[in-house]
Amino acid sequence: MTDEIYMREALRIARNAEGRTSPNPLVGAVIVKDGKIIAEGWHRQSGTPHAEIHALNMAGELATGATLYVTLEPCSHFGRTPPCANAIVAAGIKKVFAAIEDPNPKVAGRGIEILRAAGVEVEVGLLAAEARKLNEIFIKWVTCKLPFVTLKFACSLDGKIATAGGESQWISCEASRKFSHHLRDINDAILIGVGTVLADNPSLTTRLVVGKNPVRVIVDSKARTPLDSKVVADKSARTIIAVTEDAPPENISALKNRGVEIIVTGGERVDLNVLMRELAAREITSVLVEGGGTIHFAMLSAGLVDKVLAFVAPKIIGGQSALTAVEGAGFEKLFDAVKLKNFTAQPLGEDILISGYVTEV
């Protein structure tokens, strides 16, 4: 039970850097000696020292003969920083509890091999499920070469995201809106379709909480995004617009001249599968989809959504022409409907936040 307590502490402190370590994982490390925690550390940002190094530096000479609890297998290769496994051996750590092996093919058990070869006792698997959930984004990106995609929407009790007249501000309560901006802060990118740009002219920035702005990704087959739209003009965040080969060259040139990055994929419509791979190649490991019903269905039907977050307000809007959270062609058979796994429901202000996974976690 004591070992579990120490690992839970490592998991807890790892989240201190949520949304800051991409494309690296979230990692926490705790060093224990004589039944007491003597040092802690967590990875803060890509290119900076890893969690184990922070903890070892804090422990100093006391690390000799101590036990290390770490949420992910210590790295074994020279990347942006030197390997942690060698530093652990040099510090004289006698035992290491690693929650999970590193899924990165550059590590994949080699860090554990280095430790054991040097006489360090290693146990793997303590709170493994929690550790995998902690790094669900990193695991998806490093193993599938795709970003982890979260589909988020706010709707009324009858599934409407706007009234028949187009009014949508605000269906959800203040607490839900604040949490939505937290989601923007911790995701690498936010994605919408050009229809939302034309209808709402959103800025897609993080405002209701203190945090970073995500990369803005617009799915825009014909490059119709106006040059005076906020996602182009305000320069508060990087903007990527995905277009097709049919997009007018003059529109593409005009957007590029405004500093927009262009990804060309697909003929008549943007190939979302290719777009996701292109984003992953740019080290965008997580995408928050926050558009309208058309792009929501497109992402779901393409099998690209990993997680769904629905903020359901206790309101009934009605109206046959009122927009719903997921539109498009829809699924003809109930058997084909997207079924959420491991779903939860929790109160959030006046609303209920329903979350679940499309894919197994």
Side-chain angles (χ1 to χ4, degrees):
M1 182 61 72
T2 302
D3 293 330
E4 187 173 302
I5 289 173
Y6 296 140
M7 186 63 79
R8 288 198 184 281
E9 173 65 6
L11 290 165
R12 185 190 69 80
I13 63 175
R15 290 197 178 277
N16 287 339
E18 190 173 23
R20 302 295 178 269
T21 63
S22 179
N24 287 356
L26 291 166
V27 183
V30 171
I31 298 177
V32 175
K33 192 170 187 179
D34 298 328
K36 295 181 181 179
I37 294 177
I38 61 170
E40 295 185 341
W42 62 90
H43 184 43
R44 287 162 168 74
Q45 187 177 0
S46 177
T48 65
H50 290 182
E52 302 94 316
I53 303 304
H54 283 297
L56 290 171
N57 288 341
M58 179 182 289
E61 295 181 357
L62 291 176
T64 302
T67 299
L68 169 68
Y69 298 81
V70 62
T71 58
L72 187 70
E73 171 189 359
C75 65
S76 58
H77 65 292
F78 282 88
R80 291 180 171 92
T81 58
C84 293
N86 294 345
I88 292 167
V89 172
I93 293 288
K94 71 172 183 178
K95 186 171 183 177
V96 172
F97 284 89
I100 57 173
E101 287 191 8
D102 192 334
N104 188 341
K106 294 179 180 178
V107 184
R110 284 186 279 276
I112 293 170
E113 290 175 4
I114 290 173
L115 295 173
R116 286 175 173 162
V120 179
E121 185 181 351
V122 181
E123 288 192 22
V124 181
L126 181 62
L127 299 184
E130 290 90 335
R132 282 192 292 270
K133 184 173 175 59
L134 172 73
N135 273 309
E136 59 190 9
I137 290 172
F138 173 73
I139 293 171
K140 172 75 180 295
W141 177 74
V142 81
T143 59
C144 301
K145 307 302 181 187
L146 288 168
F148 186 93
V149 176
T150 300
L151 172 61
K152 169 260 169 186
F153 56 85
C155 66
S156 63
L157 198 59
D158 54 338
K160 307 296 184 180
I161 60 173
T163 66
E167 185 180 352
S168 62
Q169 296 182 351
W170 298 103
I171 288 177
S172 58
C173 70
E174 183 178 354
S176 292
R177 298 196 298 273
K178 193 169 184 178
F179 188 78
S180 295
H181 280 250
H182 167 69
L183 292 173
R184 293 182 180 186
D185 171 47
I186 64 174
N187 277 274
D188 290 346
I190 182 170
L191 181 148
I192 64 171
V194 67
T196 301
V197 175
L198 297 174
D200 301 333
N201 191 23
S203 62
L204 304 182
T205 54
T206 301
R207 301 182 303 280
L208 300 185
V209 299
V210 177
K212 64 172 177 45
N213 291 326
V215 177
R216 301 176 291 201
V217 181
I218 315 299
V219 178
D220 181 6
S221 298
K222 300 299 187 289
R224 295 184 295 146
T225 301
L227 299 182
D228 60 353
S229 62
K230 292 177 183 178
V231 294
V232 174
D234 68 10
K235 309 301 180 186
S236 58
R238 176 181 166 197
T239 297
I240 298 173
I241 297 182
V243 303
T244 66
E245 297 168 354
D246 293 338
E250 61 272 20
N251 290 12
I252 293 176
S253 295
L255 288 167
K256 284 183 175 180
N257 289 338
R258 299 299 197 283
V260 172
E261 298 175 48
I262 299 292
I263 294 178
V264 181
T265 170
E268 184 178 345
R269 294 182 178 180
V270 170
D271 188 323
L272 295 173
N273 285 279
V274 174
L275 173 59
M276 290 302 110
R277 294 198 178 277
E278 288 289 336
L279 294 178
R282 288 165 168 76
E283 295 191 338
I284 292 175
T285 66
S286 57
V287 174
L288 178 67
V289 180
E290 197 179 292
T294 300
I295 193 68
H296 290 175
F297 178 73
M299 291 292 290
L300 286 166
S301 59
L304 294 171
V305 176
D306 297 287
K307 188 176 185 179
V308 174
L309 295 175
F311 298 82
V312 182
K315 301 171 183 176
I316 297 176
I317 294 174
Q320 288 183 336
S321 61
L323 298 176
T324 58
V326 181
E327 297 189 330
F331 298 103
E332 289 188 10
K333 298 180 179 179
L334 284 175
F335 178 81
D336 296 324
V338 174
K339 304 170 185 67
L340 298 186
K341 307 171 183 69
N342 301 321
F343 66 88
T344 60
Q346 64 184 79
L348 192 60
E350 299 171 357
D351 302 337
I352 297 293
L353 172 57
I354 297 175
S355 63
Y357 291 85
V358 177
T359 55
E360 294 289 353
V361 182

